Amino acid sequence: MMLKMSLAELRAFLVCEFPQVSDEFEIVDVAPMELILCLRTGDRHLRPGGTVSGPAMFSLADVAMYLAILAMIGPQALAVTTNCSIDFMRKPVAGQDVIARARLHKLGRVLAVGDVMLYSEGQVAPVARASLTYSIPPSRG
């Protein structure tokens, strides 16, 4: 399978379609059926105790899978999450960005299924694992 959106096109799409959050994320790399996304953590992402919150990690996983799908199908802004399950395995390292490694397992006409592993920057052991399913809108045309 070939990419339909390059790294530069994905970055421009994120800024254009989601300016409210685009400064929080950095698309690090994209390859067929895979994408790496970084959450630049700040005070707004922390929960009591100084660790990155669950909702911030969910957001990272969701955006990573969304962009991985768009890289493969093109800029269809209306692709939507239909299911997500996330396992929090350990606390992220305080003060470190969180890295998402998204991988698509199935990319069909209507549904996409994949998983996202989340890591504290510079760490080997994952902090969370998410499994996501997306609904893909019908092609116009």
Side-chain angles (χ1 to χ4, degrees):
M1 296 185 100
M2 304 254 322
L3 291 174
K4 290 200 176 171
M5 292 182 78
S6 68
L7 187 60
E9 290 168 328
L10 287 167
R11 287 175 176 160
F13 179 88
L14 190 61
V15 169
C16 180
E17 297 295 330
F18 297 98
Q20 67 274 26
V21 297
S22 63
D23 64 331
E24 295 183 24
F25 300 103
E26 177 188 353
I27 306 168
V28 176
D29 195 20
V30 64
M33 306 291 277
E34 297 181 1
L35 183 127
I36 300 173
L37 184 68
C38 176
L39 172 64
R40 295 185 201 109
T41 60
D43 289 342
R44 68 181 171 261
H45 301 109
L46 303 181
R47 62 179 302 273
T51 189
V52 177
S53 71
M57 288 191 283
F58 173 88
S59 177
L60 174 61
D62 195 37
V63 171
M65 184 57 60
Y66 178 70
L67 293 171
I69 292 167
L70 294 188
M72 297 304 298
I73 67 171
Q76 297 186 37
L78 297 180
V80 295
T81 311
T82 59
N83 188 57
C84 179
S85 173
I86 189 164
D87 297 306
F88 299 101
M89 298 183 282
R90 56 190 51 84
K91 282 174 55 170
V93 176
Q96 295 292 326
D97 290 343
V98 181
I99 307 298
R101 294 182 175 273
R103 186 178 65 199
L104 287 163
H105 298 293
K106 177 189 186 289
L107 182 59
R109 262 184 326 101
V110 177
L111 292 178
V113 179
D115 63 28
V116 181
M117 299 297 289
L118 303 179
Y119 300 86
S120 282
E121 189 170 41
Q123 301 297 307
V124 174
V127 297
R129 178 191 62 88
S131 174
L132 296 102
T133 304
Y134 262 74
S135 175
I136 300 170
S139 297
R140 295 182 197 163

